[in-house]
Amino acid sequence: MRLTTKGRFAVTAMLDVALYAGDAPVTLAAISARQKISLSYLEQLFGKLRRNGLVDSVRGPGGGYQLARTPDAMTIAEIIRAVDEPIDATQCGGRENCHDDRRCMTHELWAGLNAHIFGFLRGVTLADLVAQQKPRQTDVVVMKDHRVATAPTTVDAA
Amino acid sequence: MRLTTKGRFAVTAMLDVALYAGDAPVTLAAISARQKISLSYLEQLFGKLRRNGLVDSVRGPGGGYQLARTPDAMTIAEIIRAVDEPIDATQCGGRENCHDDRRCMTHELWAGLNAHIFGFLRGVTLADLVAQQKPRQTDVVVMKDHRVATAPTTVDAA
DNA sequence: GATTACTTGACTAATTTATTCGGGAATTGG
DNA sequence: CCAATTCCCGAATAAATTAGTCAAGTAATC
């Protein structure tokens, strides 16, 4: 389980889709504008997300991307793993030639730690993040098709 | 909370110190040989570990590094943070200029996720890893001969 | 005071992240 | 059909991080 900005970008983008997709799919251009991520980088990321079955794509005008599943069935762990491909982790990637005395002490060390972190991130879904986001977000702002804001809600606590 | 191989190297090295330091300090050369990490890279890592007060150094012949605290008071989170310096995480690092519409949606998103992961890693100490390591270190020979392909390298979803 | 071994910083190479570019292919609307 | 929109793909590039190397120190022991 690697955890870099790349994975964060992916999660952020997916959260954007979850938030802004109504019936119509969300275009990468829109995500790029809202989240300030380069369009081509998004294309790369969504290519992986699509090939991993996390999003569906619709081509042509009015096209874009949609979540392949409901947000509550989409875990953060999946998203990160989809874009952070090589989850090798143990530095000797399966080969047994690590050492002579004992086999690369870190084998099960990281396997265990990974399992824990992975387990944790598998317990968090996009729906959780949406819920966390909504309260200070309900004034959905000006969407592309001039859907205007409602009431600006709460200021946060911490 | 970034989580890269760099942090893993650091934890592995610290675990090595915890395992092999008796009364005498452990030299980087020994760690380098055992863990197959380049000596100069270890120098960099231990420079940071020392400046962060995680290890004490002893110079001169017979010198080396020792844990600054007992293993049970040394968390994995600390180690990783010591070497993975920039824990900025939110890509706009505190500045409020993220966006116009809402302030960088990911602010508290990652802050929260980070807090969780960090909390988890703060709950794991070097002593835990030592304990995990000790039992399977005694039957080294047995493992070497018999169980060759037990551990899959990737932490898979199952 | 000479040897051992840590200390430090600067420098390079390799890898990963992020961006840019240039063209395609599918779909919709006119 | 035509043109606009949008996904799709690959290559090239730039920036950042990771990993490794080198060389000149400082401290401690014998």
Side-chain angles (χ1 to χ4, degrees), chain A residues 2 4-6 9 37-38 40-41 44 59-61 84:
Chain A
R2 222 165 12 154
T4 69
T5 55
K6 192 177 183 178
F9 273 133
I37 307 173
S38 112
S40 301
Y41 197 33
Q44 285 178 42
R59 289 174 145 189
D84 255 351

Side-chain angles (χ1 to χ4, degrees), chain B residues 22-46:
Chain B
D23 33 354
V26 177
T27 70
L28 292 189
I31 301 176
S32 173
R34 276 193 295 262
Q35 307 300 338
K36 300 285 185 282
I37 306 173
S38 116
L39 179 58
S40 302
Y41 198 32
L42 281 175
E43 285 171 351
Q44 284 180 42
L45 296 179
F46 273 82

Side-chain angles (χ1 to χ4, degrees), chain B residues 121-143:
Chain B
L121 288 177
R122 201 171 44 210
V124 183
T125 69
L126 259 193
D128 295 330
L129 300 188
V130 169
Q132 223 177 56
Q133 204 61 26
K134 271 280 159 56
R136 74 174 48 89
Q137 176 136 329
T138 40
D139 57 343
V140 171
V141 185
V142 178
M143 280 186 60

Side-chain angles (χ1 to χ4, degrees), chain A residues 44-108:
Chain A
Q44 285 178 42
L45 296 179
F46 273 82
K48 292 181 179 181
L49 292 171
R50 188 179 57 81
R51 282 187 287 276
N52 280 273
L54 297 186
V55 294
D56 294 324
S57 64
V58 181
R59 289 174 145 189
Y65 287 92
Q66 280 172 319
L67 299 183
R69 275 171 274 152
T70 56
D72 63 296
M74 190 83 73
T75 75
I76 304 306
E78 287 178 290
I79 298 172
I80 291 178
R81 193 170 55 168
V83 298
D84 255 351
E85 321 232 17
I87 324 185
D88 159 308
T90 43
Q91 134 203 29
C92 55
R95 300 180 308 285
E96 301 296 333
N97 61 344
C98 324
H99 289 69
D100 18 73
D101 53 344
R102 72 207 164 298
R103 292 184 302 135
C104 179
M105 180 168 88
T106 57
H107 249 131
E108 345 221 350

